[in-house]
Amino acid sequence: MKKLHFLEVEGNSRGFYTLLGVFGLISLIGMFAAYYMEHHGHYVTGMSNQVVWGTPHVFAIFLIVAASGALNVASISSVFAKTAYKPLARLSGMLAIALLAGGLVVLLLDLGRPDRLIVAMTKFNFLSIFTWNIFLYTGFMGIVAVYLWTMMDRPYNKLTKKAGMGAFIWRLVLTTGTGSIFGFLIAREAYDTALLAPMFVIMSFAFGLAFFMLVLMASYKYTDRPLGDYIINRLKNLLGVFVAAVLYFVIVYHITNLYSADHQGVSAFILADGGIYTFLFWVVQIGLGSLLPLLLLYGPTGKNRTMIGLASALIIIGGLAQLYIIIIGGQAYPMVMFPGMEVSSSFYDGVVASYSPSLPEVLLGVGGVGVTLLLVTVSVAALKFLPASLADEVADPHAK
Amino acid sequence: MTSKIEKEDLSRRNFIFGSIAAAGLTVAPGVMLYQTANARDLSKAASSKVRWGMLIDTSRDVDWNKCVEACVKEHGLGNEEHSRPDQRTQYIRVVEVKNKSTGYSMSLPVMCQHCEQPPCVDVCPTGASMKREDGIVLVDRHRCIGCRYCMMACPYKARSFVHETLTDQSTTTPRGKGCVESCNMCVNRVDNGQLPACVEASEGAIVFGNLNDPESDISKLLAKHGGKQIRADLKLNPGVQYQGI
Ligand code: SF4
């Protein structure tokens, strides 16, 4: 195995400025959409008193969940001592921070009163899982930053394993915390299950790695740096395992729901008569987002980079669909106040709430992805995150 | 309604709402006329010896919409100009319940149930969603950041989000764009010794009083006939209870 050599991406190039411009613009449009929503109030969105968390939450939670998953590669390298992943550890840590930042921006800008951020940062109710998440998120950024520093500053290299272990434990707690935001909503059928928290952990593995692979392949292609099959094959096999694991959790979730009388309704809704949610479930989440990527990754196309990239993109789209179903479908499904009775009222009791995403919501959500990619672009140019080469003779520990 | 208001220490929560009510007095001098011996001394905190509650008799043949109208009037609701119907604030609504197999149907008013263990208070990150010492659950709208987590957590769908800038507000119920709000049991009136607006409009079908005082009318009625809670299985012990459901 040749010596690993990290190098900044050339910042003074046309390609770099183009990317900066594109991601900057996407972020800016997102910010503008948020300003528009805040200025007028949320009446300009598809959200209502029935569906109170909309598309921005789908993106925000996706990015936050993916953030902890993106750290996986680094964890495997330092916690589980797999040297093959070591060259990727820095990118993995940096991407985790960038994803979390993107998600938090969206979450913050969708608040009714984002100007009261200072209230959220100074007045805490420690019973609230949201409060805990504020600490989990800021702590995550801090601990991953320290972890990156131990990797990048040679005298501190010996601390990498410890910092990596800390970050690994933290990320598990963080994703459990994110999943628990829903787990605490006892009154809503879709969320009233202990399965949600572990399911979020496994979802984070899949979404985070898919995002990681896209960034990795794109940046090596864009900078003409060699990226060998050895590393890509390992990653894509891992990705396939994660996707299959998510699928397994989804099946268990619905089967347990269908067996319990109080939870049958919501699963029947998603699986059979939920209209758009049923479509999103079978076609986008299961078909395009799980089965097709598995086929692409393990089938005859398994060595084709374009197909691996496509599979990763599909997993991300499937993940967004999955969160859309959980978050929005879970709210659209009527809450049961009088079991077994038919109810109706002026406040939409007993009916499936309607929701269609508005343009500003979508732009805000996509803006969060823009913020993430902008941070990644700036980071790889500013600091030594990417190895100059990941050709097989560098990346494969068994190569001569 | 009979109640003894105890003198307790001043707390932040009661101070805020006490001062709002006090401001109400000066803005609307007419309110003073209603001040009775039951009125709470606004310089003192609400007492935990008091737990305000309501008992709603759904078997009575009253037009519950009158309660809704009274609430809308009291709190100056319905002044949205842009919001869609599913975005407009409703503190109290009339729910029609029908038994599919027997065909039996009835209607009942549903508002914030003022739980003893309110999920909205547990989940609120800033402590804006809170329960006063006297059991009234409400949102401190100066502290709410509009995350809507409480709306997700409420099993009664009792909360609304203000989707636009509001003008022409009631002086006693400040409301603001980007904040969550709900039935506050008419704290402004209760602290003044008056009955909540819906109770007044209910022709006696809603009894309001102190659940902690065994001698109050509401406690006696509950002792005699019992009361039912919506979603009692969640063990939140709401302060709003029903007869005939
Ligand atoms: S919307 Fe306001 S009251 Fe409700 S949980 Fe958030 S901060 Fe608390």
Side-chain angles (χ1 to χ4, degrees):
Chain A
M1 186 182 174
K2 282 198 183 150
K3 193 164 165 19
L4 197 60
H5 179 58
F6 285 91
L7 200 67
E8 296 93 341
V9 166
E10 176 55 54
N12 208 357
S13 67
R14 192 125 157 236
F16 175 75
Y17 285 118
T18 312
L19 283 186
L20 219 54
V22 171
F23 297 146
L25 192 67
I26 295 175
S27 312
L28 212 67
I29 292 175
M31 302 307 110
F32 188 74
Y35 171 76
Y36 174 78
M37 279 163 55
E38 298 312 333
H39 179 75
H40 290 275
H42 276 60
Y43 80 85
V44 297
T45 72
M47 291 179 255
S48 63
N49 289 328
Q50 279 66 44
V51 175
V52 303
W53 287 352
T55 306
H57 282 79
V58 173
F59 278 91
I61 292 177
F62 177 86
L63 290 168
I64 291 169
V65 163
S68 62
L71 191 68
N72 257 352
V73 174
S75 300
I76 298 172
S77 121
S78 9
V79 179
F80 302 104
K82 294 266 185 266
T83 33
Y85 291 96
K86 202 167 166 214
L88 303 175
R90 295 182 183 184
L91 176 65
S92 155
M94 182 267 282
L95 189 58
I97 294 184
L99 281 163
L100 185 59
L104 289 183
V105 165
V106 177
L107 208 57
L108 173 72
L109 291 179
D110 182 61
L111 289 180
R113 296 295 305 258
D115 53 311
R116 288 193 181 154
L117 175 63
I118 193 75
V119 176
M121 300 308 274
T122 51
K123 303 241 167 30
F124 294 115
N125 165 22
F126 285 101
L127 279 177
S128 168
I129 188 79
F130 251 26
T131 302
W132 286 98
N133 277 312
I134 293 173
F135 287 101
L136 287 172
Y137 297 155
T138 41
F140 182 79
M141 294 223 186
I143 203 164
V144 175
V146 169
Y147 178 35
L148 279 174
W149 176 46
T150 66
M151 281 192 263
M152 298 172 82
D153 201 354
R154 182 146 306 154
Y156 298 96
N157 278 177
K158 53 186 182 299
L159 294 175
T160 299
K161 199 173 153 74
K162 285 206 180 88
M165 183 56 115
F168 176 68
I169 294 171
W170 199 278
R171 56 115 18 233
L172 287 180
V173 180
L174 180 139
T175 328
T176 313
T178 310
S180 305
I181 288 179
F182 297 96
F184 274 81
L185 304 174
I186 41 161
R188 299 201 183 243
E189 251 176 72
Y191 310 137
D192 181 22
T193 161
L195 268 180
L196 228 43
M199 185 157 95
F200 266 72
V201 172
I202 206 75
M203 280 155 68
S204 81
F205 287 6
F207 307 165
L209 188 56
F211 210 99
F212 178 86
M213 289 193 66
L214 277 182
V215 168
L216 179 73
M217 294 199 296
S219 44
Y220 274 72
K221 197 167 170 136
Y222 215 70
T223 53
D224 282 326
R225 296 186 182 193
L227 177 62
D229 281 336
Y230 172 78
I231 212 101
I232 289 295
N233 277 341
R234 288 194 76 131
L235 289 175
K236 70 121 192 175
N237 285 337
L238 196 61
L239 184 60
V241 172
F242 291 160
V243 171
V246 174
L247 209 50
Y248 168 78
F249 262 91
V250 171
I251 293 169
V252 174
Y253 169 83
H254 286 297
I255 288 182
T256 45
N257 269 356
L258 289 172
Y259 271 106
S260 107
D262 341 324
H263 295 84
Q264 254 167 23
V266 72
S267 273
F269 174 70
I270 292 171
L271 301 178
D273 37 41
I276 177 73
Y277 306 103
T278 305
F279 170 82
L280 283 174
F281 180 81
W282 290 111
V283 178
V284 185
Q285 181 187 337
I286 302 297
L288 294 176
S290 311
L291 299 178
L292 184 57
L294 283 176
L295 205 72
L296 290 174
L297 292 174
Y298 291 132
T301 53
K303 287 232 175 311
N304 182 319
R305 291 285 166 90
T306 315
M307 289 303 150
I308 296 175
L310 179 65
S312 307
L314 285 171
I315 291 166
I316 291 174
I317 292 170
L320 285 168
Q322 183 174 10
L323 286 169
Y324 193 95
I325 296 163
I326 295 177
I327 297 171
I328 296 172
Q331 295 173 81
Y333 183 73
M335 197 145 62
V336 178
M337 270 203 297
F338 301 93
M341 301 284 189
E342 227 171 60
V343 295
S344 62
S345 79
S346 60
F347 206 60
Y348 305 87
D349 285 287
V351 294
V352 174
S354 66
Y355 169 84
S356 42
S358 62
L359 185 63
E361 286 172 83
V362 177
L363 293 178
L364 171 58
V366 174
V369 182
V371 169
T372 297
L373 293 174
L374 188 65
L375 287 174
V376 171
T377 312
V378 173
S379 305
V380 292
L383 290 166
K384 297 183 162 92
F385 281 110
L386 294 176
S389 163
L390 279 173
D392 285 352
E393 64 267 26
V394 184
D396 184 353
H398 309 294
K400 301 273 149 18
Chain B
M1 178 183 102
T2 52
S3 69
K4 293 182 209 74
I5 309 286
E6 299 289 329
K7 300 192 174 185
E8 297 270 83
D9 286 345
L10 194 72
S11 78
R12 172 186 70 85
R13 299 181 164 190
N14 295 295
F15 174 73
I16 291 168
F17 288 90
S19 49
I20 288 166
L25 292 184
T26 45
V27 181
V31 174
M32 293 264 269
L33 296 175
Y34 295 96
Q35 191 137 19
T36 68
N38 285 330
R40 183 161 74 83
D41 178 351
L42 293 175
S43 65
K44 299 289 185 288
S47 164
S48 58
K49 304 245 166 69
V50 178
R51 178 168 184 222
W52 296 122
M54 289 188 195
L55 181 60
I56 301 172
D57 188 351
T58 58
S59 62
R60 292 275 301 272
D61 190 22
V62 289
D63 181 3
W64 298 114
N65 288 311
K66 292 215 174 103
C67 300
V68 177
E69 283 157 25
C71 174
V72 166
K73 187 155 168 267
E74 173 65 30
H75 299 287
L77 307 181
N79 52 348
E80 295 95 342
E81 280 172 17
H82 306 287
S83 299
R84 297 190 307 264
D86 61 353
Q87 294 174 324
R88 297 213 174 105
T89 291
Q90 298 189 25
Y91 286 0
I92 177 172
R93 64 196 190 267
V94 182
V95 178
E96 308 288 335
V97 182
K98 191 170 171 198
N99 188 326
K100 272 173 278 184
S101 45
T102 63
Y104 172 77
S105 76
M106 60 164 188
S107 59
L108 70 162
V110 176
M111 68 292 258
C112 169
Q113 304 283 298
H114 300 277
C115 308
E116 189 183 355
Q117 314 282 349
C120 60
V121 173
D122 287 347
V123 300
C124 177
T126 64
S129 181
M130 67 194 195
K131 191 180 77 177
R132 299 205 322 177
E133 290 290 301
D134 58 7
I136 296 179
V137 175
L138 36 68
V139 179
D140 175 348
R141 85 127 169 124
H142 298 284
R143 202 164 172 171
C144 174
I145 56 173
C147 68
R148 283 110 68 209
Y149 197 15
C150 54
M151 299 177 77
M152 292 290 280
C154 176
Y156 306 105
K157 279 204 348 179
R159 291 203 158 170
S160 296
F161 181 67
V162 180
H163 285 77
E164 61 176 277
T165 307
L166 297 175
T167 50
D168 190 19
Q169 300 204 33
S170 146
T171 45
T172 46
T173 311
R175 307 166 58 207
K177 176 178 78 176
C179 293
V180 169
E181 54 181 1
S182 58
C183 155
N184 58 10
M185 241 188 213
C186 290
V187 262
N188 51 312
R189 296 171 61 102
V190 170
D191 282 348
N192 238 353
Q194 293 171 271
L195 292 171
C198 61
V199 176
E200 214 169 72
S202 72
E203 297 163 23
I206 307 179
V207 177
F208 173 85
N210 180 4
L211 296 169
N212 284 352
D213 173 7
E215 294 306 312
S216 66
D217 291 352
I218 189 170
S219 298
K220 285 187 191 154
L221 279 168
L222 280 167
K224 195 156 167 217
H225 305 291
K228 270 201 175 158
Q229 307 172 341
I230 305 178
R231 293 286 326 246
D233 56 313
L234 297 174
K235 302 205 167 47
L236 306 172
N237 191 18
V240 175
Q241 306 204 17
Y242 294 82
Q243 280 174 340
I245 60 169

